[in-house]
Amino acid sequence: MQPTATVLVYSDDSNTREQIRLATGRRPAPDVPVVEFLECATPAAVITELDKGGIDVCVLDGEAVPMGGMGLCRQIKDEVFNCPPVLLLIGRPQDAWLATWSRADAAVTLPVDPVEFAATLASLLRQKALIG
């Protein structure tokens, strides 16, 4: 059986979650596992899923409402033991400094560029594999 990677996607917008799924496809690069998505529309759902464990990478929407992905990222980096890498979706390239403040491992802008997103996600999955 082929290994899989679980990617948690947080956004209150179902269209944003769909952009992530479409940009990733079955796997973001040939040398990383097939991806299974776990979608969350609320911060509470994210925390619940992280507490269960088994998440390889989190993709958080910085533009989500009522709690943006930046604040949620900072919270989970503080509160979740062995927090998985976080890929933050930001509204503007100028917001990259906020992604750094939130302690995100990587950031890409919305709308999602499929090539950039897949390459960034694959990089985080490789790092997770090396660490784990």
Side-chain angles (χ1 to χ4, degrees), residues 45-108:
V46 172
I47 300 298
T48 299
E49 293 301 331
L50 286 171
D51 285 343
K52 290 179 186 176
I55 306 297
D56 294 297
V57 174
C58 295
V59 177
L60 306 179
D61 180 1
E63 306 297 312
V65 177
M67 182 177 201
M70 290 181 209
L72 183 57
C73 178
R74 188 158 175 103
Q75 177 182 345
I76 65 175
K77 289 291 187 171
D78 283 342
E79 297 176 1
V80 176
F81 179 70
N82 286 335
C83 184
V86 174
L87 172 52
L88 191 61
L89 306 174
I90 56 178
R92 311 170 304 150
Q94 297 88 338
D95 293 335
W97 73 272
L98 286 168
T100 302
W101 168 85
S102 72
R103 294 191 232 142
D105 298 276
V108 296

